[in-house]
Amino acid sequence: MSKDSPNLALKYAVIGFFAGIAGAFISQQMGYHDGGLNNYFTYAAGAAFGGAIGGMIRKRQGKVS
């Protein structure tokens, strides 16, 4: 993967998306929220956004994977 490829940010966004869904499920089991669909969307979107930012930072540092 070349340094000019946007795939690193996308890769981390997808990983963050699924981690956000898993985190929402775990927090629901612990009783932090009622398990509404909007909670899952919020967790997944926030984690995907954070993952994309993290991927862009890693790309800026010269990392390729």
Side-chain angles (χ1 to χ4, degrees):
M1 188 174 349
S2 69
K3 284 187 178 181
D4 296 333
S5 177
N7 292 336
L8 193 60
L10 180 63
K11 173 184 167 183
Y12 278 87
V14 170
I15 291 170
F17 177 80
F18 288 113
I21 291 175
F25 178 75
I26 291 169
S27 67
Q28 176 191 0
Q29 295 300 316
M30 294 175 71
Y32 289 116
H33 61 84
D34 61 354
L37 197 56
N38 63 336
N39 290 319
Y40 283 96
F41 285 138
T42 304
Y43 278 59
F49 183 72
I53 297 294
M56 286 189 276
I57 291 171
R58 285 185 57 88
K59 182 179 162 188
R60 180 178 256 179
Q61 291 175 345
K63 307 283 197 275
V64 293
S65 64

